[in-house]
């Protein structure tokens, strides 16, 4: 049994379950203000305490998990949906104008960090979770395109691919029938890693006010709002910070575990 995979899956499952449960139940309404009970310390009534508006921190972290996971899932999905076909096309046409165009386009996107892309998008369309998704998703496209192209190039020299070409199959059909199934393991591992990076990116964008907007709870914005009150209400920063830490740690551990399980070379080395 792979220890990293088990621990990572367990940590990730905690926050996924919290996000799912938040759709049907949270201890307190995260949009309701309760000024008389503001800045309460963690206790029996409020497990993680309350913020400067009297909102329950535990409830906000549950709903914030939903926001972070949704943004990361959709952003990674955008990266895969566009990046994988681009990588397959570039590998199938290695050295051609199409290959050069795709890879130079990837280099161009890499030149602009997701935060800068988010700022540009926000300047045009305004700050929102949707625009954060677009910014993170655009940054994920070249990641998957490069990964797939690099893996596919080595597969195009394999005997079964040469046999498929001799049988009359076109490049597109070979890419999706023979190349794509053999890079799926890499995509699963990289998708897990990008998912954790997506959560970090969403928190970072929300921290600077470019992510989910009030009243929707966001871990990054909770950290931003707590920075001026850390000296007398440290729980405002500690709990959302721990939520980000353990979620990202769990996903990274799960990615490492999946890599060990799915990579046949690593399995042989461990025997």
């Amino acid at each position: 049994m792979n220890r990293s995979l088990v621990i990572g899956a367990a940590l990730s499952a905690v926050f996924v379950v919290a996000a799912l449960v938040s759709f049907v139940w949270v201890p307190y309404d995260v949009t309701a203000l309760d000024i008389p009970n503001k800045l309460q310390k963690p206790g029996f009534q409020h497990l993680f305490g309350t913020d400067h508006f009297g909102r329950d921190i535990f409830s906000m972290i549950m709903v914030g998990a939903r926001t972070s996971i949704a943004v990361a899932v959709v952003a990674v999905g955008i990266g895969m949906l566009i990046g994988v076909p681009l990588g397959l096309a570039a590998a199938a046409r290695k050295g051609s104008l199409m290959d050069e165009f795709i890879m130079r386009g990837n280099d161009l996107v890499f030149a602009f960090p997701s935060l800068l892309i988010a700022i540009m998008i926000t300047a045009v369309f305004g700050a929102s979770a949707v625009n954060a998704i677009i910014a993170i998703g655009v940054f994920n496209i070249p990641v998957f395109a490069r990964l797939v192209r690099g893996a596919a190039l080595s597969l195009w020299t394999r005997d079964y691919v040469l046999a498929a070409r001799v049988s009359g199959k076109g490049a597109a059909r070979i890419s999706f029938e023979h190349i794509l199934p053999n890079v799926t393991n890499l995509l699963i591992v990289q998708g897990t890693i990008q998912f954790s990076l997506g959560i970090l990116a969403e928190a970072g964008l929300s921290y600077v006010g470019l992510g989910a907007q009030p009243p929707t709870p966001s871990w990054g914005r909770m950290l931003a709002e707590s920075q001026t009150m850390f000296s007398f209400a440290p729980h405002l920063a500690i709990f959302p910070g721990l939520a980000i830490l353990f979620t990202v740690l769990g996903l990274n551990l799960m990615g490492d575990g999946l890599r060990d399980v799915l990579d046949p070379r690593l399995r042989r080395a461990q025997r």
Side-chain angles (χ1 to χ4, degrees):
M1 181 178 296
N2 189 288
R3 184 178 300 176
S4 294
L5 179 59
V6 173
I7 296 174
L11 287 173
S12 302
V14 170
F15 292 96
V16 171
V17 170
L20 293 175
V21 171
S22 71
F23 281 103
V24 294
W25 175 83
V26 287
Y28 295 90
D29 184 359
V30 296
T31 62
L33 305 184
D34 187 11
I35 302 300
N37 291 314
K38 67 178 182 179
L39 299 177
Q40 285 193 3
K41 294 183 178 180
F44 180 76
Q45 185 176 4
H46 297 280
L47 190 61
F48 290 170
T50 60
D51 69 356
H52 54 299
F53 290 125
R55 297 173 297 184
D56 182 63
I57 299 295
F58 183 73
S59 300
M60 294 180 68
I61 286 178
M62 289 181 65
V63 179
R66 184 172 72 197
T67 303
S68 296
I69 291 173
V71 169
V73 166
V74 178
V76 171
I78 291 173
M80 281 190 173
L81 188 64
I82 301 176
V84 171
L86 288 178
L88 291 174
R93 296 287 186 267
K94 179 185 176 183
S96 67
L97 183 62
M98 176 186 291
D99 183 24
E100 281 295 312
F101 179 78
I102 292 173
M103 299 316 296
R104 298 297 76 77
N106 286 340
D107 292 339
L108 179 63
V109 175
F110 267 133
F112 297 92
S114 59
L115 180 59
L116 185 56
I117 295 174
I119 292 173
M120 292 188 294
I121 293 174
T122 301
V124 178
F125 300 105
S128 69
V130 173
N131 293 334
I133 290 172
I134 295 173
I136 301 170
V138 168
F139 191 75
N140 278 330
I141 292 172
V143 174
F144 288 104
R146 283 175 175 267
L147 174 71
V148 172
R149 180 183 181 274
L153 286 176
S154 64
L155 294 175
W156 271 97
T157 61
R158 299 293 178 87
D159 291 340
Y160 61 86
V161 174
L162 295 176
R165 297 177 68 179
V166 170
S167 68
K169 292 184 178 180
R173 187 175 175 184
I174 292 174
S175 295
F176 285 96
E177 289 186 1
H178 300 283
I179 304 297
L180 182 58
N182 285 284
V183 299
T184 301
N185 293 348
L186 290 175
L187 289 175
I188 293 173
V189 175
Q190 190 64 41
T192 304
I193 295 172
Q194 292 305 122
F195 187 72
S196 68
L197 294 177
I199 289 178
L200 273 178
E202 189 279 330
L205 293 175
S206 295
Y207 183 86
V208 296
L210 301 179
Q213 299 299 299
T216 303
S218 169
W219 293 344
R221 197 174 65 254
M222 291 171 70
L223 286 175
E225 293 173 350
S226 68
Q227 61 184 354
T228 59
M229 296 173 279
F230 188 80
S231 60
F232 57 89
H235 64 278
L236 297 183
I238 289 173
F239 292 112
L242 288 175
I244 296 171
L245 170 64
F246 284 117
T247 303
V248 173
L249 175 63
L251 288 167
N252 283 331
L253 287 174
M254 189 164 66
D256 288 341
L258 286 171
R259 182 196 59 194
D260 295 342
V261 170
L262 297 175
D263 192 331
R265 292 172 296 180
L266 291 175
R267 288 203 303 268
R268 286 195 296 268
Q270 293 170 356
R271 290 176 182 174

